[in-house]
Amino acid sequence: MSNLLGKRYQCAACGATVLITKAGDGQLTCHGEAMEVAQAKPLPSSD
Amino acid sequence: MNIAMLLEMAADGFGDRIAMGGHDRSVTYAELRWQATAIAAALAAEPQTVALDGELSALVPAALFGSAWAGVPYAPLNYRLPPASREELVRRLAPVTVAEEAWLALPPDPGRTFPDDPELPAVLLYTSGTTAEPKAAALRHDQLTAYILNTVEFAAAAEDEAVLVAVPPFHVAGVAAVLSSTYAGRRMVPLPHFAPEAWLRLARDERVTHAFLVPTMLARIIAAMEADPALRAPSLRHLAYGGARMPMPVIERALELFPDTAFANAYGLTETSSTVCVLGPDDHRAALAAGDPAARSRLGSVGRPVPGVELRVVDGEIQVRGDQVSGDYLGNGPQRDKEEWLRTGDRGRIDEDGYVFVDGRADDTIIRGGENLAPAEIEDTLLRHPSVAAAAVVGVPDEEWGERIGAMVVPRDGDTIDAEELRGFVLARLGTLKTPEVLVVVTELPHTPTGKVLRRAVRADLSQPG
């Protein structure tokens, strides 16, 4: 399973967030569970 | 996280996209990365602060990211200052080297890595000093990356998006424009010399979709559009503004002239790594459509805090805290209190729905006979007069009242202003207490290079006897 560049993965148990700065294979886990891709927060461009 | 990581990710993710330039002459994000490594390699022998003494060009993103790659601070200077003042600013940054155009042709160093010390200062910005001498605000890597990661989604820009950058590189919005465009994957179209007609033409010719303006620029663009209906920016989807208070009559007219554009009001300080509050597009249109004056007044709001920022008002002054908030100055310790709150020096309030209103700098408040008066309301009223193009209201020293209200106004092109008639116009709307006692008509207001009214100059001018 590959992790996507620039995506954030979050742990449902503790809220820890990981930002993917280099794409690669593997499964991110935290508290024994696979971390889920966090949804983007839409925010208007301010600059 | 080093801000160089933002470029590393951009170059890995969408390296063939244009980072800066028109469709004819441009640099891609992959090329920008190689330029940054080349500059970092050249700086490695003798690490020192990099000063940038010039207008917006391809050297700006290269010097910003090259400095970060080398782990040294980047300090863009106000190139419009006289040479002696710039030399003094450079001297204060020593050890320092000044970035040169030739750096863009240095050989890349593909294997070069950047340091991972988030507490290093990344950017030094001399604040504009509308009321005092300039001092250098220090923004660290972790503060700038906190701002970008909290407000921009990686690769969020569509392939056709282009942002017109008209703010100079030494303004925090000029730094933020490079960082957010890079992380979003948006092409930057530079306009080094702002003129309203040039801005509108470039926006049309380069199919610009995004732009950021300070209020004085937007007011001048509106005047140019009204003078020439052929001057339009048809592809502009998103217009953000900030850097100074936006007069209500200006934003109301802008919403009419750009009916299909999404507006965002960004409030922030140099010391807060740019934006801390945003009033978004839906809020703008809802306020414009509202018949209820309270709802309509939200157009004068700066919206709500961005993710990661907390905001409160203490004794009428806005305070902020969050990972992007600095408040450190070169040669000075942190200005944040023990709980990390930074006093902004801006007066403001928060309404019941959490919308923040900025009434102006605390220093600008006019205290007349013990009465606190905000210049904003009086300036907006002056601007509602059909002959007034620009207005600045300040407190003028007065033996009897402590301060009197002084106004400096600029007529619209081809118009004249009768000072007594204009005072009567304000009197009918705001009453005697808020009517300017001194009113002077001029051809132009004194401004800082980034478009803020230079209030101390207005005050000095209006304080002259006779």
Side-chain angles (χ1 to χ4, degrees):
Chain A
M1 175 163 182
S2 71
N3 295 298
L4 296 169
L5 182 64
K7 291 286 176 205
R8 288 163 221 247
Y9 290 75
Q10 203 160 31
C11 170
C14 71
T17 307
V18 174
L19 174 72
I20 307 299
T21 59
K22 202 98 191 163
D25 292 334
Q27 174 73 63
L28 290 166
T29 56
C30 187
H31 280 86
E33 296 285 333
M35 295 177 85
E36 303 276 336
V37 174
Q39 286 310 305
K41 308 156 286 211
L43 199 71
S45 166
S46 58
D47 38 43
Chain B
M1 181 163 141
N2 189 314
I3 57 170
M5 180 63 86
L6 306 175
L7 175 59
E8 174 95 322
M9 291 169 71
D12 280 347
F14 40 82
D16 54 351
R17 282 201 190 184
I18 295 173
M20 180 177 272
H23 284 110
D24 50 344
R25 185 172 169 275
S26 56
V27 54
T28 64
Y29 283 105
E31 289 163 346
L32 182 56
R33 169 165 58 183
W34 299 139
Q35 288 173 343
T37 63
I39 291 170
L43 289 167
E46 200 182 336
Q48 49 192 328
T49 296
V50 171
L52 182 102
D53 188 11
E55 58 198 22
L56 183 57
S57 72
L59 184 57
V60 169
L64 169 61
F65 286 119
S67 305
W69 219 285
V72 299
Y74 158 82
L77 303 178
N78 177 358
Y79 52 85
R80 297 194 189 99
L81 290 172
S85 307
R86 300 210 306 274
E87 282 162 22
E88 168 60 20
L89 294 184
V90 170
R91 197 189 56 74
R92 285 200 229 166
L93 297 171
V96 61
T97 182
V98 179
E100 296 166 29
E101 196 70 23
W103 287 11
L104 296 177
L106 291 168
D109 187 2
R112 181 160 291 275
T113 55
F114 47 82
D116 186 21
D117 182 351
E119 298 204 355
L120 280 179
V123 175
L124 303 174
L125 290 172
Y126 282 104
T127 57
S128 59
T130 55
T131 54
E133 285 306 303
K135 50 191 174 181
L139 301 176
R140 303 186 324 214
H141 285 277
D142 55 349
Q143 291 159 344
L144 288 164
T145 51
Y147 169 62
I148 296 300
L149 297 180
N150 280 331
T151 62
V152 185
E153 200 58 32
F154 180 70
E159 287 220 43
D160 68 333
E161 287 186 15
V163 56
L164 208 171
V165 186
V167 283
F170 55 84
H171 190 288
V172 68
V175 174
V178 175
L179 298 179
S180 357
S181 302
T182 299
Y183 200 61
R186 195 172 288 129
R187 177 168 68 100
M188 291 173 268
V189 177
L191 178 63
H193 303 277
F194 177 80
E197 297 80 9
W199 187 91
L200 285 160
R201 286 200 191 94
L202 191 61
R204 183 193 57 204
D205 296 348
E206 286 292 339
R207 294 191 200 93
V208 161
T209 55
H210 288 61
F212 176 90
L213 293 167
V214 298
T216 44
M217 290 174 172
L218 183 57
R220 292 179 61 198
I221 287 167
I222 289 171
M225 291 171 79
E226 285 176 334
D228 182 356
L231 282 176
R232 292 294 183 267
S235 53
L236 192 69
R237 289 180 222 151
H238 195 101
L239 182 57
Y241 60 90
R245 199 185 65 84
M246 174 66 84
M248 284 274 274
V250 174
I251 189 61
E252 286 170 7
R253 188 71 186 113
L255 284 160
E256 290 165 13
L257 280 168
F258 293 96
D260 303 318
T261 301
F263 281 76
N265 183 2
Y267 164 68
L269 283 68
T270 301
E271 293 86 343
T272 58
S273 310
S274 191
T275 309
V276 290
C277 275
V278 174
L279 183 76
D282 296 344
D283 289 324
H284 276 80
R285 295 291 168 191
L288 189 71
D292 170 28
R296 195 177 173 90
S297 75
R298 205 158 270 169
L299 260 191
S301 156
V302 296
R304 290 186 272 213
V306 298
V309 168
E310 289 177 90
L311 185 147
R312 68 179 185 184
V313 174
V314 178
D315 295 331
E317 185 187 24
I318 295 173
Q319 302 187 353
V320 290
R321 71 175 173 187
D323 291 342
Q324 71 181 69
V325 176
S326 168
D328 300 352
Y329 297 98
L330 201 60
N332 246 322
Q335 306 297 301
R336 303 181 298 272
D337 73 11
K338 274 179 282 184
E339 294 176 320
E340 296 292 316
W341 290 100
L342 176 73
R343 297 174 57 171
T344 63
D346 284 330
R347 299 193 65 76
R349 65 205 149 82
I350 307 172
D351 77 8
E352 63 273 18
D353 295 317
Y355 286 80
V356 179
F357 290 78
V358 182
D359 295 327
R361 299 292 299 165
D363 297 347
D364 296 338
T365 302
I366 302 166
I367 305 172
R368 184 188 184 280
E371 201 78 45
N372 284 3
L373 306 171
E377 183 186 19
I378 306 169
E379 288 170 1
D380 278 2
T381 304
L382 288 164
L383 283 167
R384 291 196 187 280
H385 189 282
S387 302
V388 176
V393 170
V394 297
V396 179
D398 182 76
E399 283 187 15
E400 187 181 355
W401 295 99
E403 282 185 314
R404 287 183 301 159
I405 304 172
M408 198 176 260
V409 292
V410 179
R412 285 186 184 278
D413 279 347
D415 251 338
T416 52
I417 290 174
D418 177 334
E420 276 317 295
E421 193 262 331
L422 182 55
R423 290 188 62 236
F425 179 87
V426 178
L427 183 69
R429 285 159 181 81
L430 297 180
T432 41
L433 182 68
K434 295 178 180 173
T435 298
E437 289 145 299
V438 185
L439 198 148
V440 174
V441 181
V442 294
T443 53
E444 198 179 3
L445 295 178
H447 278 118
T448 67
T450 52
K452 288 184 203 188
V453 173
L454 203 48
R455 290 180 183 273
R456 63 185 154 148
V458 175
R459 196 172 294 123
D461 208 32
L462 294 181
S463 303
Q464 304 281 334

